[in-house]
Amino acid sequence: MRKLDSTKLILISGILFVLIISHIPVVFTQFYHSITKIPSAENGTFNFPVDPGDKQVVLDGEWEFYWNHLLITDSKQDVLPDFYINVPDYWSKYQLNGEYLPSEGFASYRLILDSINTYCPVTIYLPDFGSAYKVFINGTLASESGVVSKNTSEVFTTTRVNFYPVSLPANQKHEVVIEVATTRFSGLYMAPMMMAYESAVQKEAIRNNFRFTLFGA
């Protein structure tokens, strides 16, 4: 009986440990702006107060939203946004032509980065995101996960993320476009993070190792 009670105690302790560790990023997110003094994007523009090579920068706030458009893949740079959308958020909470958008589908998000200065190649990271996506900086692929398609039957999601380094000229405006395709989760419900390319690769490797360790336990 004592052995059974000790086993239950160990299991409960393990579950509590996992819950606490997994919710640390959630707690940090709630106080991110007050801690870092980094602002949110407004009207599709993000003014950079820091060097992303020094720390990760959460690109939350108001992004331009293009429903049923893949801006870079289809070279549709001349279309106008349907509206500004909050990131992170679900696009199914928004209306277009008087109707709420469906959970599944495809769309593009666009953000202008202003006054950025960085000394190293960067990328944009979407950790544990449940939809397929491609991230472009100035038209250059910065990261991708799964298969983005206009046909929902061809959309493929995976936990694997591929990163690509992108160098940014200093004191210029830069365009970030994220193409998203999903069959379950409607849009960028997690905020993208800009960081140094090497940091993103290392961070993803650590997350994968931690994930496998938890599953093994």
Side-chain angles (χ1 to χ4, degrees):
M1 187 67 178
R2 290 182 178 177
K3 183 177 180 180
L4 182 61
D5 290 339
S6 63
T7 301
K8 288 183 178 179
L9 182 61
I10 292 173
L11 289 174
I12 293 173
S13 300
I15 292 173
L16 290 175
F17 174 76
V18 171
L19 289 175
I20 292 172
I21 293 299
S22 63
H23 280 74
I24 288 177
V26 178
V27 174
F28 175 74
T29 299
Q30 297 297 320
F31 301 97
Y32 170 77
H33 293 291
S34 60
I35 294 174
T36 63
K37 308 302 181 184
I38 296 176
S40 298
E42 294 184 2
N43 299 322
T45 300
F46 191 100
N47 291 307
F48 259 84
V50 296
D51 185 339
D54 295 332
K55 61 182 72 176
Q56 63 187 32
V57 178
V58 179
L59 302 179
D60 61 352
E62 296 177 331
W63 287 59
E64 293 179 0
F65 181 76
Y66 302 78
W67 177 243
N68 282 348
H69 287 298
L70 300 179
L71 290 180
I72 303 300
T73 301
D74 295 339
S75 300
K76 293 183 177 179
Q77 295 284 0
D78 56 342
V79 297
L80 297 176
D82 293 299
F83 47 79
Y84 291 108
I85 189 171
N86 288 323
V87 174
D89 206 350
Y90 295 98
W91 67 44
S92 57
K93 294 168 59 177
Y94 293 78
Q95 292 186 11
L96 189 61
N97 300 324
E99 296 184 357
Y100 285 99
L101 297 176
S103 295
E104 65 178 27
F106 63 95
S108 293
Y109 294 74
R110 182 175 179 267
L111 183 69
I112 298 300
L113 307 179
D114 197 6
S115 303
I116 181 173
N117 289 287
T118 180
Y119 61 86
C120 63
V122 299
T123 188
I124 291 180
Y125 184 50
L126 278 165
D128 296 330
F129 187 58
S131 301
Y133 66 88
K134 288 185 176 182
V135 181
F136 300 89
I137 302 177
N138 296 334
T140 300
L141 188 62
S143 64
E144 62 178 339
S145 179
V147 176
V148 176
S149 175
K150 296 179 181 179
N151 187 341
T152 54
S153 64
E154 297 178 358
V155 174
F156 174 74
T157 60
T158 176
T159 58
R160 179 180 175 81
V161 182
N162 294 320
F163 297 107
Y164 310 97
V166 179
S167 297
L168 302 179
N171 299 316
Q172 294 185 18
K173 293 185 177 181
H174 305 283
E175 177 192 65
V176 176
V177 172
I178 303 180
E179 299 178 346
V180 178
T182 180
T183 58
R184 295 175 296 168
F185 306 106
S186 57
L188 291 179
Y189 60 90
M190 298 184 68
M193 296 185 297
M194 172 169 276
M195 64 180 69
Y197 166 75
E198 295 293 342
S199 297
V201 173
Q202 187 176 47
K203 187 179 184 71
E204 180 67 7
I206 293 173
R207 291 180 70 90
N208 286 334
N209 291 335
F210 183 66
R211 185 186 297 115
F212 292 143
T213 301
L214 287 179
F215 284 148

